């Protein structure tokens, strides 16, 4: 069991108070609501983060159980990321208080009791075992299950599709006709596809950004650290980098400058970025080492930016620094001021590597996703039939 900077009895000491929250009422002091979430958390994206955010808002202390590679392979097909990678990604999400490695695929009362959790929280889709059984059947029956809203417009299936098809339709760009078309299809998903795993476009709202943002201003004495990049398909290489950046100061305030899609495409080529600026904003904001995000940062880290944010330090990892349009070094100004530092994340994973990994396993992923959708469609049909039956029984009764 790994805890994120908390001791086992912290929840007793915290006595129901959220960190940084106001003074708690005497009733709340007595009761800390402990929540359980579990899942594969493969290719962690902001849909997963949003689920954990909603879960945390239902109580005080959030424990997340992550399944092993063997469990996922048995029920769903092989995951894209190894369990060690998936554990690290979940631990980096700021709403997670504790992470349990190798949680069982089926959620039982025994698990909830073992971790002293009041109830478990899952998105409003269904999760089935290899035999087609609802994995939350037992906890639902015992009233120890709560539901949160699944985030529309993001799924591993969709992201894999973007990588394989090499399309740019997801890029946020008003001149991009594909983007308009994609947006018009919002919420519907392709015909004949499950509404849970079917593809639709994510629409950014100010509310969502507020929910994800820390909302904290830098305080006197904080060290303002600025980093910039695409942070595309936010992965453990980024997490390791940001953790190292965070460790550069005693009281760090980390600002991440995200480049617009067109800028990223200029220096990375192909159909990069795979996630558009709206999606990348949420992925980065969900990371516990990040305090603030600049949405659409200038490529060159210039005077105005450094002075505006009163930046003390600018960091970049050991990966290549692409030159600006005029071939100049984007870090020339911080270097001149003696504010630039190269950080060794100790991890050489890149967005390219992830795309390669997925393409190599293409057939397996396609088969896995088709299987998942087919199971979901079967459940939808069964639900429809049940609903029709209830309606016709109601009509019969009225007629009598
Ligand atoms: N989840 C969500 N919104 C999404 C994707 C996942 O709320 N867009 C939630 C699920 O409902 C679940 C949790 O994240 O409560 C963990 O899900 P997991 O088992 O890891 O994955 P899937 O539901 O299979 O997601 P995906 O199709 O993206 O792999
Ligand atoms: O290029 P990208 O936008 O993905 O990277 C953002 C930042 O993360 C850069 O500073 C990059 O050097 C750093 N990084 C790293 N280790 C990795 C991947 C990225 O230090 N494995």
């Amino acid at each position: 069991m790994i805890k994120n900077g908390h001791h086992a009895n912290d929840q007793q000491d915290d006595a129901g108070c959220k960190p940084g929250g106001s003074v708690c009422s005497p009733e709340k002091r007595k009761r800390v609501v402990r929540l359980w979430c579990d899942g594969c958390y493969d290719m962690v994206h902001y849909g997963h983060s949003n689920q954990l955010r909603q879960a945390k808002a239902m109580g005080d202390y959030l424990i997340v159980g992550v399944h092993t590679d063997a469990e996922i392979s048995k029920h769903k097909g092989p995951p894209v990321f190894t369990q060690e990678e998936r554990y690290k990604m979940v631990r980096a999400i700021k709403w997670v208080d504790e992470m349990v490695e190798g949680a069982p695929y089926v959620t039982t009362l025994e698990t909830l009791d073992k971790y002293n959790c009041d109830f478990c929280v899952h998105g409003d889709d269904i999760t089935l075992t290899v035999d087609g059984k609802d994995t939350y059947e037992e906890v639902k029956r015992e009233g120890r299950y709560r539901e949160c809203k699944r985030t529309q417009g993001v799924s591993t299936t969709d992201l894999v599709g973007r990588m394989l098809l090499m399309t740019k339709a997801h890029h946020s760009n008003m001149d991009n006709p594909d983007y308009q078309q994609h947006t018009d299809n919002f919420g519907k998903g392709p015909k004949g596809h499950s509404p849970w795993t079917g593809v639709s476009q994510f629409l950014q709202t100010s509310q969502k950004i507020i929910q994800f943002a820390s909302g904290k201003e830098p305080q006197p004495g904080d060290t303002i650290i600025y980093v910039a990049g695409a942070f595309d398909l936010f992965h453990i290489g980024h997490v390791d980098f940001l953790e190292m950046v965070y460790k550069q100061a005693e009281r760090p305030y980390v600002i991440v400058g995200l480049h617009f899609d067109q800028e990223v495409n200029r220096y990375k080529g192909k159909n990069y970025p795979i996630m558009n600026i709206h999606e990348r904003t949420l992925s980065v904001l969900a990371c516990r080492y990040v305090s603030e995000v600049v949405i659409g940062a200038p490529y060159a880290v210039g005077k105005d930016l450094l002075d505006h944010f009163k930046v003390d330090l600018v960091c970049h990892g050991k990966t290549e620094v692409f030159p600006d349009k005029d071939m100049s070094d984007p870090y020339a100004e911080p270097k001149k001021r003696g504010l630039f530092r190269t950080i060794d994340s100790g991890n050489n994973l890149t967005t390219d590597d992830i795309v390669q990994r997925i393409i190599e396993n293409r057939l397996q992923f396609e088969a896995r996703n088709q299987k998942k959708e087919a199971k979901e469609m079967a459940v939808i049909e069964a639900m429809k039939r049940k609903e029709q039956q209830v309606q016709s029984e109601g009509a019969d009764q009225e007629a009598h």
Side-chain angles (χ1 to χ4, degrees):
M1 209 195 304
I2 284 105
K3 295 179 167 68
N4 287 318
H6 292 262
H7 295 293
N9 293 324
D10 265 8
Q11 64 276 20
Q12 310 298 342
D13 305 337
D14 287 353
C17 298
K18 292 198 181 99
S22 51
V23 178
C24 302
S25 64
E27 306 82 69
K28 195 158 186 211
R29 259 176 219 289
K30 288 189 221 118
R31 189 78 183 87
V32 172
V33 176
R34 289 168 65 92
L35 312 148
W36 172 267
C37 286
D38 55 25
C40 308
Y41 298 97
D42 192 22
M43 273 186 67
V44 170
H45 49 64
Y46 57 93
H48 295 121
S49 306
N50 195 32
Q51 184 245 339
L52 298 174
R53 181 192 66 77
Q54 294 177 78
K56 177 71 182 253
M58 294 182 190
D60 306 290
Y61 192 81
L62 176 62
I63 306 180
V64 183
V66 181
H67 312 314
T68 60
D69 296 343
E71 275 279 89
I72 300 174
S73 299
K74 184 175 143 202
H75 294 278
K76 243 178 135 171
V80 185
F81 287 92
T82 67
Q83 56 201 45
E84 293 309 325
E85 292 171 325
R86 292 181 291 106
Y87 297 156
K88 196 183 257 180
M89 286 305 291
V90 169
R91 245 177 247 143
I93 296 174
K94 64 183 177 189
W95 298 285
V96 179
D97 294 300
E98 198 173 312
M99 207 274 301
V100 173
E101 298 181 1
Y105 204 80
V106 174
T107 314
T108 58
L109 290 177
E110 197 189 331
T111 305
L112 292 191
D113 291 340
K114 182 173 170 192
Y115 296 100
N116 204 11
C117 288
D118 296 76
F119 49 87
C120 82
V121 185
H122 188 264
D124 55 357
D125 54 344
I126 38 151
T127 313
L128 306 169
T129 65
V130 68
D131 323 306
K133 275 206 181 130
D134 181 352
T135 55
Y136 294 95
E137 201 178 285
E138 183 177 322
V139 287
K140 276 181 184 169
R141 205 173 44 232
E142 297 300 319
R144 305 262 301 264
Y145 177 86
R146 300 282 184 283
E147 219 154 60
C148 62
K149 282 221 164 310
R150 193 177 158 92
T151 309
Q152 286 285 313
V154 59
S155 73
T156 311
T157 320
D158 184 22
L159 294 172
V160 171
R162 293 182 197 181
M163 292 175 216
L164 294 175
L165 299 172
M166 293 287 292
T167 51
K168 286 192 199 170
H170 57 279
H171 286 185
S172 153
N173 174 0
M174 291 315 289
D175 298 330
N176 174 356
D178 295 338
Y179 182 66
Q180 273 317 110
Q181 207 177 28
H182 213 68
T183 321
D184 289 345
N185 195 33
F186 174 73
K188 294 181 196 127
K191 203 168 180 284
H193 284 258
S194 154
W196 292 306
T197 52
V199 180
S200 63
Q201 177 82 36
F202 169 72
L203 293 184
Q204 183 74 287
T205 60
S206 56
Q207 183 65 12
K208 190 93 315 54
I209 295 177
I210 291 167
Q211 288 164 343
F212 271 60
S214 75
K216 286 191 196 117
E217 300 267 348
Q219 298 302 306
D222 283 356
T223 303
I224 316 285
I225 312 179
Y226 183 78
V227 300
F231 291 87
D232 192 15
L233 287 175
F234 195 72
H235 55 70
I236 45 159
H238 295 132
V239 167
D240 283 336
F241 168 70
L242 291 169
E243 186 182 4
M244 288 302 287
V245 166
Y246 189 82
K247 285 183 180 160
Q248 299 301 306
E250 224 167 89
R251 285 179 44 193
Y253 186 93
V254 179
I255 304 176
V256 177
L258 287 179
H259 302 138
F260 276 132
D261 299 342
Q262 274 165 298
E263 186 76 63
V264 177
N265 193 253
R266 174 188 68 79
Y267 65 84
K268 296 233 20 190
K270 296 184 189 164
N271 70 331
Y272 287 120
I274 303 293
M275 278 191 166
N276 68 33
I277 184 84
H278 304 304
E279 300 169 315
R280 291 183 284 120
T281 299
L282 297 185
S283 300
V284 172
L285 279 175
C287 177
R288 62 175 63 250
Y289 307 115
V290 176
S291 308
E292 181 66 296
V293 166
V294 179
I295 307 167
Y299 193 66
V301 183
K303 287 189 181 75
D304 284 356
L305 186 142
L306 294 174
D307 294 341
H308 178 83
F309 292 112
K310 300 188 173 59
V311 176
D312 298 301
L313 186 65
V314 176
C315 298
H316 190 94
K318 292 192 99 179
T319 62
E320 184 182 355
V321 175
F322 297 96
D324 205 346
K325 283 183 215 74
D326 59 2
M327 297 312 281
S328 61
D329 177 0
Y331 294 117
E333 184 63 22
K335 280 179 185 167
K336 201 170 88 191
R337 295 188 187 194
L339 302 179
F340 184 79
R341 197 175 291 172
T342 301
I343 300 291
D344 186 357
S345 66
N347 188 327
N348 53 16
L349 190 75
T350 63
T351 303
D352 265 324
D353 295 336
I354 295 174
V355 174
Q356 281 316 313
R357 230 195 252 194
I358 288 161
I359 290 175
E360 277 160 25
N361 293 286
R362 173 190 178 146
L363 293 175
Q364 250 170 351
F365 297 133
E366 279 174 355
R368 169 185 131 179
N369 290 328
Q370 272 165 12
K371 212 162 83 184
K372 187 178 173 199
E373 249 193 289
K375 273 206 253 176
E376 287 178 356
M377 288 307 284
V379 172
I380 290 168
E381 287 307 317
M383 276 158 61
K384 263 193 213 154
R385 278 199 298 274
K386 205 167 168 189
E387 210 173 289
Q388 276 163 1
Q389 200 184 337
V390 171
Q391 271 170 1
S392 69
E393 279 169 9
D396 279 355
Q397 270 173 4
E398 259 175 48
H400 282 111

